[in-house]
Amino acid sequence: MAHFTNHAGHSALLQQPESTRYSCNPESRLEKLRKELQRRNLDAIVIPTADAHSSEYPPARFERRAFISSFTGSAGTAVVTATKAHLWTDARYFLQAEEELTDEWVLMRQGEKGVAPPREWIANNIPSGSRVAIDPFVHTVRNVKRLSKTLEAANIQLIRLEGEHPVDVVWGDSRPELPTVPVRKHPVKLAGASVSAKLQTIREKIRAQGATHALASKLDEVCWVFNIRGGDVPHCPVVTSYALIGLNEAVLYVDVTKVPDAVADTLAESDVEIAPYERLCADLESLSQIGKNPGNSFIWMSPDSTSQAVFEAAGKAAFLSQTPFAILKACKNPPEIAAIKSAHIKDGTAKCQFLCWLEDLVCNGSTISEYDAGVKLEEFRSKQDGFVSTSFSTIAGFGSNGAIIHYSAKQGKCAQISRDEVFLLDSGGQYIDGTTDVTRTMHFGVPRQHEKFCFTKVLQGHIALDKLVFPDGTTGLMADTVARAPLWEQGLDFRHGTGHGVGASLNVHEGPQSISYRTSSHDASLQVGMVVSNEPGYYEDGKFGIRLESLVHVVEKTTKFRFGNKKYLGFEKLTFVPIDKKLMAINLLNDDEIDWINSYHSEVWEKISPKLTCKKQLEWLREKTSPISNKSEANRYF
Amino acid sequence: MAHFTNHAGHSALLQQPESTRYSCNPESRLEKLRKELQRRNLDAIVIPTADAHSSEYPPARFERRAFISSFTGSAGTAVVTATKAHLWTDARYFLQAEEELTDEWVLMRQGEKGVAPPREWIANNIPSGSRVAIDPFVHTVRNVKRLSKTLEAANIQLIRLEGEHPVDVVWGDSRPELPTVPVRKHPVKLAGASVSAKLQTIREKIRAQGATHALASKLDEVCWVFNIRGGDVPHCPVVTSYALIGLNEAVLYVDVTKVPDAVADTLAESDVEIAPYERLCADLESLSQIGKNPGNSFIWMSPDSTSQAVFEAAGKAAFLSQTPFAILKACKNPPEIAAIKSAHIKDGTAKCQFLCWLEDLVCNGSTISEYDAGVKLEEFRSKQDGFVSTSFSTIAGFGSNGAIIHYSAKQGKCAQISRDEVFLLDSGGQYIDGTTDVTRTMHFGVPRQHEKFCFTKVLQGHIALDKLVFPDGTTGLMADTVARAPLWEQGLDFRHGTGHGVGASLNVHEGPQSISYRTSSHDASLQVGMVVSNEPGYYEDGKFGIRLESLVHVVEKTTKFRFGNKKYLGFEKLTFVPIDKKLMAINLLNDDEIDWINSYHSEVWEKISPKLTCKKQLEWLREKTSPISNKSEANRYF
C-alpha cells in the first residue's frame, strides 16, 4: 500500500453505521463548540487528526476533527475561532472535503500556493493577545515546539486544555467508547524473543544513554516490547497503551479490564507491572520528583511520538531523543522472519485462489463490482489459518479508479470490473504470524500498447530495486532512484514513495525506514531484518493506474568482494503472487530481467502450488507462472 | 578531481622555496605564540585553515595554521594553550601530519573513535572561566555559532581577537604578502551576461527577499558577479575581494592598486564602485546605522561563507540566509557552456598529445617519473590558446600510488611509470574560456584480470550515471547510487563523492550541487547549466587505483512522455579523451554499454582529430577510438 507523508486511510468513524455517526447537524455542533470556547475564554482551538499515540489510524473515540467538521478523510487539521472555521487537508482529499464540509467551513488546500500551514495562518489571522487552545495529549512535543514558537512571535497565548475537551462536551454521549477488544499474547515462538530478552536489550540501550527509563507511546512499539496484540484500531492489531521501561521495572499502562489473566500471568513472569492507562502521567510526575536528586531519574522519550502532556508530566526528568523501540522492532529476528514467511505463503495462496476465481468470472463475460471483489478477496483470506483482519482498506481500482492512489470503492457506488480496462488490486492481511501487503495490476482482456509499455517500465523499476546490492549504511533515499530510473528514462514517474516498512503481525506502515525521494528516507539506513515494500507505480489520471508491490526483507548478500570490510546487503522476497505476463512488453525486457521474472514465477509455483488442491487453481497457477522468452514473437511492444 | 568534505589540495606555502618557508624553528614559534597569548591574557587560541572568504585554498598569507604547526596539509585546525598544542586533521593526512609535526604537538585523528572535534575538546579540557581566542575574520558565522554554543555551556569565554593576530606577530616580516596579480576582465562574450544584467538579476532576488543588499564573500562569487578574474590563489583565477550589491549601488572591495584602468572603466559602465578592500566593514556599519529606520537596510549574507567579523559589522542589518550567488553562478548560460566546450576541446587535444607521447615512451621500454609526467602534461596544455594554469595539483599515481586518492608526486621522491602497473592520471587546466578536470586510468603493459574486472565495474557506473535521465528536482544524493550500483553488486565501493560542481573558468570545485552519498548532496538539485564531474573509482590499498572522470553539463532531455509536466534532465559530455580499452573486460559489458563506449569514442575522434596535425598522434587517436565489439574474443574476463 503506497505510503504518503500523511498516510492514506479511512476514518474509523466510517466503521460505525452512517446513521449514528453524528448526533446533531454540523451547524449546531460548531455553534455549540463556540459557546464552549467562549465559556472558557478561548479565542480559538486547534483540532488535529490524532490520538495520544501518534497513531496513523486513531480509534473512533479520538476522531474529534472528523466529528466537528464532518470531513472524514484520514488527514486534516481544523482551526475554529468565534467567527471562522478552517480545515486544512492535502490534495488527496480536496474533492472529498468539498463534498463533506458545510458552508460554515473554509477548505485550506495544503500544498497550494499561498496556503499557509495552520500555525502561520493563526499567527497572521488571529489578533495579538488572543488565547488559542490545544489538547496537549494529541499534539507531539515537536509539534507544540513549532506551534508555540510561531504563536509566541505573534504574541498569541497557547493554552493547554484542561478538563473535558470542548469537542467532547459537544459530542456528549454519542462519543464512541474506546474499543474493549481483549489483549492477546503474541507467542514467543513467533516473536522470536521473550519479553525478558527484549527488556534486557532496551535496558542496555537505556544505560548506554545514561538514562534510567524509556517511554514508548506508539502502540505498535508497546505491543512489540510486551509481545501482546489487540484490536483497538481498524487494521492494526494494537492495544491503546504506554510502556515505561526502567532499569529495574517495566510497566504496561492499559485498560486493565482488557487484560486476561493468562496475559497478565505471562507478563508477570517478566516482572511487568500492569497499571491503569490513566496512571502514566502521575507515575512520570513521581519519577520527576525522585529525579531532583541528580542522576536519579532521566526518562528517555521521542519528540516525534510523545505527546506534550506526557512530556510535561515528566518535567525536568524528560530526555528527548529518538528512543530505540522503533529500530529494534523494525529489525526482525529469524523466528519473526520465519513467521512472516509463513503468513505470506497463506496470503499468496488466498490471493491466487481469488485471482483464479476473478479471472474465470470476468473472462467468461460477467462483471463484479470493485467493492464486491474486495469482499470476496477477504473471504478467501479469512479461510487461511490465523487470519485476523485486513491490514488496510482494500484498494480495488478498475480503469480510471486505479489512478486514484488512495481509492476506496464504495458499496453500490463503484465501477464494475470487466475485460475492458486495467485492474489494480492492493490489499493485505493481518495474520497471527505476520502482516502482508501486495499489489498486482492485471488485465482480463486485451491491454493497450501504452498500458503494456508503462507496466513494463514499472516492472523494470521493481526488478532493479529487488536486485540492488548495497553496503550497510545505505538509506532508502539512496535506493529509491533505482526503482524510478527506468520510468524517468521515458519521462514517467509516480508521486508516492517506493517502499514503506511493515510490522511483524503489526502495523502495515512502520518506520523508521522507508524508500522514497523524501528527505525523511535518509534518516535510517536499510538494515538486516527490516521488512519493506517494493512498489513503484505509474498513474494516468482519468485512465488507468499501475502498481506492482511485493514485500521483501533485508538480508546480507554474499558478494565476490567485500570492500571496506562492510556488510553488503540486498533483499529477499516475501510475497509470492504471479505478476501478469499479459501486461509485459517482453521485447522491452533484457535477458537479466526475463531471468528474474522466470525465476520469481518458478518460486511462486514451488511455494504456492503445494497449498492448492483444486485442479482449476493449479492449472491457473501453472499457466501464470510458466516461463516467458524474449525469443517469442508474442507480447511485443511496437 | 575527487572531492572530499574537506578538500584535498596543497598548501600555498609549498609554492615558496623551502628555505624561506619558515623563519624560525617550530619550538621557538610555539613558545613565542604562547608569550603573545599570555601578554593578552588569553588561555588558548583556535587557528583553522581559512582566509576571510571560505576559500578551499587560502593565499599563503593566511596559512597561519601551517606556519605555526609546520603541518602543511590542506585541512586542519590547531588549538594552542599555555601547555598544550593539538592539531586536528582527517585520515588523508595522518601520515603527513605525523612526519611534519614536532614532539610539542599532539595529532588529533579526526573521525577516529573517541576523538572529539576541537570545540568539544576545548569544552572538556580547558578550565571553566578561561578565555579562548579566535580571529573573527577566519571563522564563518555558522562555525562561531556552534563554537560559542559549546563553549558557553562549559562557561568558557570566546574572545574576538583585535589588533594584530598573535600568529602574525610571531610570523613577523617573513609573513607572505598578498598576491599582487592584476585583475583582468572576463569578456562578456565568454561570461554570457554583462555585469549590468547580472546585477539586475541579483537585485530582483534581493527585492523578492525583502532585503536591500546582498553580500558575496566567496572569491569565485565576486569574480562571477563582476566578470573579473585574477590570480590570487593557486589554481583558482580569483581575486581577494568582496561584492556588496545594493538595489541602487554595487561595490567591489579589492586592493585598488591591482585593478587596471581598463577594468575599472568597464566596471564603471555598470555603475560598479571600486573601494579599498579594508573599507567593507566600515561601509556595513554605516548601512546598519541607516538601517535603524525600519526597512532601510537589510543586508543578505550566507551563514556558511560570511565571516563572523563581517557579520558583526553589519549589526542588526544582517539577514542570514543562503544568498543567490552560488546557484546563479552554478547554472551556466549557453555562451558560458560554449566557452567551456571550447576549453575542453583544447584540453582534450593536449591530453591526447601527452598520452600518445607517454605511451610511446613507456611502451618502448623507457620510464618516466610521476612528477616529470605531470610537468610534461602541463607543457602540452600550456601550448593551447588561453591556457592560464593547472586547475589543481596534478595527481599522477602509478601502481599503489594510484590508490592514494589525493596523491601528489614529489620531485625526486616518486615512482617511475612503466609497463608493469595501472597508471591513474587526474589533472585539469584553467583556460580563459573554461575549467577542465579529467581522470583517465590506463595500463601500458598487460593488466591483471582483477584490474580489468574492477575497471569495468567503474566504467559501468560511469556509463550508468552518464545515461541517467531524471526529473527536475532530483539531487546528487539521489543520483549517486546509480554510479555505485555496478560496484556494490560485486562488494566494491569508493570512499569519495561521485561528482562535484565545476566553475566557468573559475574554481574546479564549486557548489551548491554535488553527487555524493553525503547528506549535503541533497541540499541542491541538479539544474540545467550546471557542470559536474562524473568520477566513480575503486582503490585497492598498496596495489592500484582506478578512477574514470569526465565533466558533463546538465541539459533538458527529450523523453517519450513528460509526466507531471516536469522537465526531464540528463547530462551532456564535455570531456573528450579516450577511455583505455585495454582495461575493459568486454564480455562483462552489455550491448547498451558497448554502444555508449563506441559512440563516445567516435565523438572523441570527431572533435579531437581535426586539432591534431602530427600523423603519429592521429594514428594513436584512431586506434584508441576504434570501436569494440562483444562478439570479439579479445579482452575477455575469465
Side-chain angles (χ1 to χ4, degrees), chain B residues 422-433:
Chain B
V422 169
F423 177 51
L424 183 155
L425 181 61
D426 185 356
S427 70
Q430 292 288 2
Y431 297 81
I432 290 296
D433 41 2

Side-chain angles (χ1 to χ4, degrees), chain A residues 97-119:
Chain A
E98 280 165 20
E99 274 176 32
E100 294 180 342
L101 293 174
T102 64
D103 290 350
E104 286 179 296
W105 288 84
V106 174
L107 173 59
M108 301 294 281
R109 293 174 174 79
Q110 266 170 16
E112 288 203 349
K113 259 203 166 161
V115 176
R119 64 177 186 283

Side-chain angles (χ1 to χ4, degrees), chain B residues 127-138:
Chain B
S128 162
S130 296
R131 290 160 50 85
V132 174
I134 57 160
D135 173 0
F137 277 99
V138 299

Side-chain angles (χ1 to χ4, degrees), chain B residues 363-429:
Chain B
C363 287
N364 284 326
S366 292
T367 66
I368 178 173
S369 81
E370 296 162 333
Y371 182 88
D372 289 340
V375 171
K376 187 75 187 176
L377 171 57
E378 191 170 343
E379 194 183 307
F380 276 106
R381 276 206 170 97
S382 66
K383 285 178 191 151
Q384 292 293 329
D385 256 11
F387 176 78
V388 178
S389 72
T390 50
S391 59
F392 57 93
S393 290
T394 295
I395 300 170
F398 183 71
S400 60
N401 291 340
I404 304 168
I405 301 173
H406 66 297
Y407 179 69
S408 171
K410 303 272 180 305
Q411 189 169 15
K413 291 195 225 166
C414 62
Q416 291 291 116
I417 301 163
S418 73
R419 284 178 294 197
D420 301 335
E421 302 288 345
V422 169
F423 177 51
L424 183 155
L425 181 61
D426 185 356
S427 70

Side-chain angles (χ1 to χ4, degrees), chain A residues 450 453-454 467-471 474-475 477-482 485 487-495 517-519 522 538-540 558-566 568 590 637, chain B residues 450 453-454 467-471 474-475 477-482 485 487-495 517-519 522 538-540 558-566 568 590 637:
Chain A
H450 179 55
F453 181 85
C454 298
K467 291 172 70 168
L468 184 68
V469 174
F470 48 88
T474 301
T475 66
L477 179 62
M478 293 154 85
D480 182 67
T481 303
V482 170
L487 288 153
W488 285 353
E489 191 180 10
Q490 309 298 332
L492 305 177
D493 201 358
F494 54 99
R495 291 195 183 104
Y517 51 85
R518 292 189 194 90
T519 307
H522 202 50
Y538 173 69
Y539 310 90
E540 227 163 78
T558 307
T559 47
K560 193 176 165 96
F561 306 100
R562 198 179 158 128
F563 178 76
N565 210 21
K566 277 190 184 179
Y568 283 80
N590 68 30
Y637 174 77
Chain B
H450 179 55
F453 181 84
C454 297
K467 290 172 73 167
L468 184 68
V469 175
F470 48 89
T474 302
T475 65
L477 179 62
M478 295 153 83
D480 182 67
T481 303
V482 170
L487 289 153
W488 286 352
E489 192 179 9
Q490 309 298 330
L492 306 176
D493 201 359
F494 55 98
R495 291 196 183 103
Y517 51 85
R518 291 189 194 90
T519 307
H522 203 50
Y538 174 68
Y539 310 90
E540 228 163 78
T558 307
T559 47
K560 194 174 163 95
F561 305 101
R562 197 179 159 128
F563 178 76
N565 210 20
K566 277 189 184 179
Y568 283 80
N590 68 28
Y637 173 77

